[in-house]
Amino acid sequence: MYPRRTLDKTKPWEYFIEPFKILDNLAFIGMYHSSSHLVDTGDGLVIIDAGYYVTAYATLNGIYALGYNPKDVKYIFLTHWHKDHTEATNQLLNVCTNAKVVIGVRDDVEVVKRGYAKPDIVVKDGDTIKLGDITFRFVETPGHTIGTVSIFFDIKDNGKVYHAGMFGGAGPGAMLKEDPTYYEGCKQEYLNSIEKLRKEKVDLFIGNHCWNNNTDERCKHFNDKNGVNPFYDEKEFYKFLDFCEKRVLKMIDDGV
């Protein structure tokens, strides 16, 4: 249902996706294997997830290609500490010199400080950050990592309000017992996080990875004649949560 291509991380250029706008003030500036998004709040820019060290050039290219200036980036939000989301943070800060780094409070902050960045702001469940016309709300959704946070915000485009959101860490790999980042109780925390996420209103599902919402495929349909934004879907986020839940329940049943 949510296919993922086999990746060779030594050849990041093979997974380049042309930067594009999902809405006038929300854009994808990442690559297939390391999603990054850019939000224009009207009073500065926000990057959601920095990506790999080897993909920093693509993230910066996306900012410039869409007509923005990296020095207008005010925040870099990190959904969790894994390197495909955080490794390029210090590189981006070398150019996005006015940006502050934001990450979740539980454990993730300590891991990130050891290598990828020094967080300026540590958020906990229900915390908000307002910039310009947009208020970003952080929800603790542990499981993938202890400190994973999901992000939700309302965003206007051509007079319509979209309820945007992402699951900050949906992949099951870190919950395998042989994974070095595995922790006791992670699967149950993950299931609890899914139940929490079901209560959110999301009609613009942002992928924490391209395969969460088929970002790379949806972007091809902006010129479809029906005039509906291909990322607007009142059911897709919840279908994905169902998929994630079934996958982890199977892991529990299989004893992995």
Side-chain angles (χ1 to χ4, degrees):
M1 184 176 180
Y2 298 92
R4 171 178 175 172
R5 302 204 316 258
T6 301
L7 305 176
D8 180 352
K9 297 183 182 67
T10 65
K11 300 177 180 179
W13 54 88
E14 293 185 357
Y15 308 101
F16 178 75
I17 295 175
E18 196 73 32
F20 67 93
K21 288 191 174 184
I22 297 172
L23 303 173
D24 281 346
N25 44 3
L26 171 64
F28 180 86
I29 56 170
M31 300 181 77
Y32 178 75
H33 56 332
S34 58
S35 291
S36 295
H37 291 82
L38 186 73
V39 185
D40 180 358
T41 71
D43 191 29
L45 306 173
V46 172
I47 295 174
I48 301 177
D49 281 338
Y52 282 111
Y53 180 88
V54 294
T55 63
Y57 75 93
T59 303
L60 290 170
N61 168 75
I63 296 172
Y64 284 118
L66 295 172
Y68 294 110
N69 187 333
K71 294 192 182 299
D72 292 330
V73 175
K74 299 295 180 64
Y75 294 103
I76 299 174
F77 296 159
L78 304 176
T79 55
H80 60 281
W81 72 262
H82 287 162
K83 63 183 181 179
D84 48 338
H85 299 267
T86 62
E87 195 176 49
T89 305
N90 281 330
Q91 286 177 286
L92 297 183
L93 290 173
N94 286 333
V95 185
C96 306
T97 52
N98 296 315
K100 293 182 178 180
V101 178
V102 180
I103 197 167
V105 68
R106 296 177 63 201
D107 186 64
D108 281 33
V109 62
E110 297 302 322
V111 179
V112 167
K113 282 195 296 187
R114 291 200 290 269
Y116 305 137
K118 181 181 178 182
D120 299 289
I121 299 172
V122 179
V123 291
K124 60 184 184 302
D125 197 48
D127 281 354
T128 61
I129 291 178
K130 188 176 190 303
L131 184 64
D133 297 328
I134 300 178
T135 298
F136 300 88
R137 181 167 50 87
F138 301 86
V139 176
E140 291 183 38
T141 50
H144 185 68
T145 70
I146 295 177
T148 295
V149 289
S150 297
I151 303 171
F152 301 91
F153 55 97
D154 288 349
I155 187 167
K156 294 181 180 179
D157 184 78
N158 293 322
K160 179 177 176 58
V161 177
Y162 294 86
H163 305 288
M166 68 158 54
F167 188 172
M175 290 179 283
L176 295 170
K177 292 179 180 178
E178 63 269 23
D179 190 276
T181 63
Y182 170 88
Y183 68 94
E184 195 66 36
C186 60
K187 294 185 183 69
Q188 186 56 55
E189 284 206 312
Y190 184 91
L191 293 173
N192 294 343
S193 293
I194 288 174
E195 287 309 303
K196 183 188 288 189
L197 290 171
R198 291 190 198 281
K199 299 175 184 177
E200 299 291 338
K201 181 173 177 55
V202 175
D203 54 33
L204 194 76
F205 175 26
I206 303 170
N208 194 238
H209 278 289
C210 280
W211 48 89
N212 291 179
N213 67 343
N214 297 327
T215 305
D216 53 326
E217 292 299 320
R218 288 178 188 267
C219 72
K220 299 174 183 178
H221 297 291
F222 274 102
N223 294 321
D224 288 356
K225 294 181 180 180
N226 61 18
V228 176
N229 188 306
F231 287 85
Y232 176 73
D233 191 321
E234 295 177 331
K235 298 179 180 180
E236 185 64 24
F237 181 65
Y238 311 100
K239 290 179 182 178
F240 181 65
L241 295 180
D242 289 342
F243 169 79
C244 292
E245 181 181 56
K246 290 177 182 177
R247 186 170 55 180
V248 172
L249 287 174
K250 186 177 187 305
M251 290 172 65
I252 294 173
D253 288 343
D254 292 345
V256 297

